[in-house]
């Protein structure tokens, strides 16, 4: 099956994100912190007069907060709320064929978000769903 | 015209127009069920609304059509062209009557009986045709309202926010470049337009809850009459504003609860007399804003809920009696929300139709609200519904804590005071901080501390926000109070709401997102549990021992210790010089975008001061003071004052004389519209008397001055206004100030007078002469 995927860099890895999950791709401006919110929630930002909740994808997946201000983000609407998922870098959108993820089952944070694999220039790239990242996967898997 | 009626007309007309096509299509395919259903729904809705709005003619027509269509729907009758024509004629007729109602014209009976008769099986369609020509004479009135989808309003709103942000961006950029005054003026105008526009757009979503309540008297009357009961309805707080959508969603549950209260709660006159109550039952529906929520209360003085009957009913329905009896009181009361429950043994026409409290609760929880019951068997039931303010516009105060701004709903704030005033003490009792403010001891929570933003640094002047969350009051310590703003609050993402301290998020004018603090959540987060509020003991004793009048003591601007009856003090607020202005011929204070008269004794303040906002139930006067001191009780017997004036008398407080302000005198002197003779008097002189009286005098009167050409004997003008040059021979007795106006801008520049069409300049010059404030 050929679908469109957005290639992004998250937590130092290359991942593919299903384009249906992507509302837009934005440059991040100033982020207002949310006191008492979980570590992987960076804060609130304004994108075209809409308030979005900014998620630190690196922290959600690895438990280690990413350093510095987020610069690029993928905006996605989940259950009626707008989220901006901060990413290291963004590449292109292209059509790929997805393959199921084979191999051992585990419940690490990456596996919880993984939805399959695509092959790009002979290199396998993990398909990552954004919606699970709203909750802190790295914390969930430890429990 | 009544809002409800207007809405009905708009809706009916709109549907009728859409339906005309459906009916014709139905005629060609009489067995098309969907079309039949659409037409049926229309007449059914019209019938329902007409019963409600008391429009018997329409109701009769709709009812007849509904009956005929119901027969078709149930298969008792086959649709034929005669029936279709008859229904079409009725729908047309409904449209005409609606037009007539809107236009306020009367419409002849026009053979409606014939139209109805034509619906009968086997009726000759000629009857209907005869009836039709009589109906074409109505002139249609252009409608002054349109119906809009809330979606469209939402988009308008978000476009509006975009516009504000773009304006801010533009302003920021202009500030960094050398500003051209012309561009700045344009920006000013743009800003003013946008502000106006924003208010209008915001208002489109808001509706006074009145529109929900206005139908209730009728509902109560009809329900009570049909049950042979007497009920007096009291409605309070109809001016509370709520999101339109919310109002729509509240409509059915509210009507249902009102009917329940009358049917199940309030007893018949005989039972009431037997129970020692007045024959007429009392039903109160009240709305108020409480913090982040709108609270709607429905209270009756009926028999309350008989919990044992509820349980008996449920047991009869197959529930386990022992489990139910083992429940706590609150849970037992909650059983009335069980699906399908009715405590009436016989279903009446009003309630007991299977739509129970479960449906009501479901509807309310769908809009994020909750419902609570307070039952007093034999004495009444009070239903309290809390609906969130999210989506609503709320008035907020913006505070800062550890460098970050937060919004706090204005509704929960009792008062804001600065630390450092004499009447405020901060102490640490055990693990807790407490603030004692004018004898009121309250727990103190540092906002920055609760949010883990800062350690408890309390240096410099800080602000204390006294918050009342219903269960109790506490003091929220913040670094500063920045602003007040009306904000649209949206729910934040679940992961943000889960922190429990926020009520939502918002986008203020700055364009930076801001969080709205949920004060009850903050109190819970800080581990605060409310008991009865502690009143500092000395005061408690004083209050108990001395029956008398509670007064607020304060230090006045002139250094005297004065007091004012506590009952007329609405609130005490800090004020700034910039809020004071001389306008309309008197000193006024800008508060929340309105001007209230400002009274004071002594010199006008030169630095920050405090104001007492005094209310007599209708009007409001602000009184400037140096600082509030204490609340004490004084004997109502006062030493009388020497002369009528601002002081009503002298009371003794702890052996010291304290002047008590005369509330009557204050309001009589300062409330707008009463003290006309206190307005400054302008004497118009010089040549060009016509211009003076035609052009200048109206403007001066509008600005709150009195104007004369010749002062009455004994009257002394406050300012002399003269047009044109010439020597000031007659004003040589320079006891009153003179404002000279110049006929053209050139000579104004030359001799230092004011150009006569420079409105602001003229008013400023006159203000400088008559007022304390230039």
């Amino acid at each position: 099956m050929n679908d469109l995927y957005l290639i992004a860099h998250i937590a130092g890895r290359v991942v593919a994100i299903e384009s249906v999950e992507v509302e837009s791709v934005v440059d991040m401006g100033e982020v207002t912190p949310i006191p008492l919110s979980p570590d992987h929630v960076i804060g609130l930002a304004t994108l075209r007069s809409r308030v979005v909740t900014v998620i630190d994808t690196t922290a959600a997946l690895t438990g280690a907060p990413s350093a510095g201000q987020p610069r690029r983000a993928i905006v996605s609407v989940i259950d009626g709320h707008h989220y901006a998922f901060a990413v290291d870098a963004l590449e292109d959108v292209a059509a790929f064929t997805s393959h199921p993820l084979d191999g051992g089952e585990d419940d690490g944070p990456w596996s919880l978000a993984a939805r399959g694999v695509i092959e790009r220039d002979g290199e396998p790239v993990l398909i990552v769903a954004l919606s699970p990242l709203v909750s802190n996967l790295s914390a969930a898997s430890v429990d | 015209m009544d809002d409800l009626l207007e809405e009905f007309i708009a809706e009916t007309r709109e549907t009728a127009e859409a339906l005309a096509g459906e009916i014709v299509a139905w005629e060609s395919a009489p067995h098309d069920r969907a079309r039949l259903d659409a037409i049926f729904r229309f007449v059914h809705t019209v019938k329902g609304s007409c019963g409600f709005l008391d429009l018997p003619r329409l109701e009769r027509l709709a009812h007849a059509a509904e009956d005929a269509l119901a027969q078709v729907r149930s298969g008792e009758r086959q649709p034929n062209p005669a029936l279709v024509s008859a229904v079409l004629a009725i729908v047309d007729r409904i449209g005409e009557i609606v037009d007539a109602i809107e236009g306020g014209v009367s419409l002849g009976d026009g053979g409606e009986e014939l139209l109805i008769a034509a619906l009968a099986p086997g009726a000759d369609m000629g009857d209907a045709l005869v009836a039709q020509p009589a109906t074409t004479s109505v002139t249609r009135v252009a409608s002054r309202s349109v119906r809009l989808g809330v979606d469209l309003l939402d988009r308008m709103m978000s476009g509006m926010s975009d516009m504000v942000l773009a304006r801010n961006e533009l302003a920021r950029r202009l500030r960094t470049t050398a500003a051209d005054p012309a561009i700045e003026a344009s920006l000013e105008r743009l800003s003013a337009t946008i502000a106006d526009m924003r208010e209008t757009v915001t208002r489109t979503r808001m509706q006074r809850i009145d529109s929900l309540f206005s139908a209730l008297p009728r509902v109560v009357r009809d329900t009570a009459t049909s049950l042979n009961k007497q009920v007096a309805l009291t409605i309070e707080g109809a001016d509370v504003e709520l999101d339109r959508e919310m109002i729509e969603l509240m409509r059915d549950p509210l009507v249902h609860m009102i009917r329940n209260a009358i049917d199940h709660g309030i007893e018949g006159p005989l039972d009431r007399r037997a129970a020692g109550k007045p024959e007429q039952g009392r039903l109160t529906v009240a709305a108020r804003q409480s913090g982040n929520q709108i609270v709607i209360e429905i209270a009756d003085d009926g028999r309350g809920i008989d919990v044992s009957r509820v349980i008996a009913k449920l047991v009869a329905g197959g529930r386990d009696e022992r489990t139910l009896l083992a429940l706590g009181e609150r849970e037992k009361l909650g059983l009335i929300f069980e699906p399908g429950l009715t405590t009436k043994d016989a279903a009446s026409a009003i309630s007991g139709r299977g739509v129970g409290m479960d449906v009501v609760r479901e509807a309310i929880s769908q809009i994020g609200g909750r419902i609570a019951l307070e039952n007093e068997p034999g004495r009444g039931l009070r239903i309290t519904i809390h609906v969130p303010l999210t989506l609503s516009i709320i008035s907020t105060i913006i505070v800062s804590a550890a460098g970050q701004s937060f919004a706090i709903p204005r509704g929960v704030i009792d008062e804001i005071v600065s630390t450092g005033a004499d009447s405020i003490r901060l102490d640490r009792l055990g693990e807790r901080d407490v603030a004692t403010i004018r004898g009121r001891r309250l727990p103190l929570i540092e906002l920055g501390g609760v949010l883990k933003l800062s350690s408890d640094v309390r240096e410099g002047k800080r602000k204390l926000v006294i918050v009342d969350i219903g269960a109790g009051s506490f003091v929220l310590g913040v670094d500063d109070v920045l602003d007040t703003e009306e904000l649209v609050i949206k729910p934040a993402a679940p992961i943000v709401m889960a922190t429990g301290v926020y009520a939502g998020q918002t986008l203020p004018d700055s364009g930076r997102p801001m969080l709205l603090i949920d004060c009850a959540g903050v109190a819970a987060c800080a581990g605060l549990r409310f008991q009865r509020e502690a009143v500092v003991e000395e005061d408690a004793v004083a209050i108990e021992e001395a029956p008398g009048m509670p007064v607020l003591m304060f230090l006045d601007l002139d250094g005297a210790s004065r007091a004012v009856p506590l009952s007329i003090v609405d609130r005490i607020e800090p004020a700034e010089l910039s809020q004071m202005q001389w306008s309309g011929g008197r000193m006024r204070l800008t508060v929340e975008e309105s001007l209230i008269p400002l009274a004071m004794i002594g010199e006008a303040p030169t630095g920050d001061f405090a104001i007492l906002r005094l209310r007599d139930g209708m009007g409001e006067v602000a009184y400037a003071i140096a600082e509030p001191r204490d609340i004490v009780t004084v004997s109502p017997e006062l030493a009388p004052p020497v002369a009528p004036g601002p002081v009503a008398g002298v009371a003794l407080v702890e052996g010291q004389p304290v002047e008590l302000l005369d509330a009557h005198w204050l309001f009589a002197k300062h409330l707008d519209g009463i003290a006309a003779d206190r307005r400054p008097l302008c004497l118009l002189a010089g040549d060009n008397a016509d211009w003076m009286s035609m052009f200048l005098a109206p403007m001066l009167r509008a600005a709150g001055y009195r104007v004369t050409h010749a002062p009455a004997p004994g009257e002394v003008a406050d300012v002399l206004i003269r047009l044109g040059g010439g020597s000031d021979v007659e004003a040589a007795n320079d006891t009153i100030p003179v404002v000279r106006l110049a006929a053209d801008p050139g000579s104004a520049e030359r001799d230092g007078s004011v150009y006569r069409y420079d409105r602001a300049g003229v008013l400023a010059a006159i203000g400088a002469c008559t007022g304390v404030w230039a």
Side-chain angles (χ1 to χ4, degrees), chain B residues 104-175:
Chain B
V105 281
S106 66
L107 186 62
D109 209 357
E112 272 155 32
E113 292 310 320
L114 289 177
L115 286 176
I116 291 170
L119 285 168
D124 185 356
M125 68 176 275
D127 290 349
L129 290 177
V130 169
Q132 263 176 332
T135 60
T136 46
S137 57
V138 183
T139 45
R140 192 166 173 158
V141 182
S143 175
R144 292 288 299 150
S145 68
V146 260
R147 289 156 58 77
L148 292 176
V150 172
D151 270 0
L152 190 62
L153 293 180
D154 278 344
R155 266 169 42 207
M156 219 156 87
M157 194 85 156
S158 113
M160 199 60 233
S161 311
D162 275 344
M163 215 145 102
V164 171
L165 294 182
R167 191 265 329 255
N168 293 348
E169 177 67 28
L170 185 64
R172 257 198 303 278
R173 280 176 198 278
L174 276 181
R175 268 202 300 275

Side-chain angles (χ1 to χ4, degrees), chain B residues 245-265:
Chain B
E245 217 170 346
M246 214 75 113
I247 285 186
E248 284 315 310
L249 291 166
M250 284 296 299
R251 205 178 286 277
D252 288 347
L254 188 64
V255 168
H256 188 78
M257 280 182 287
I258 298 273
R259 287 185 170 157
N260 263 345
I262 300 170
D263 191 13
H264 299 296

Side-chain angles (χ1 to χ4, degrees), chain A residues 30 33 35-36 44 46 49 81 134, chain B residues 162 404 492 495 499 502 511-513:
Chain A
E30 202 176 347
L36 301 189
L44 299 175
T46 315
S49 81
H81 292 279
V134 170
Chain B
D162 275 344
Q404 191 169 346
I495 195 159
T499 57
Y502 305 117
R512 294 192 52 180

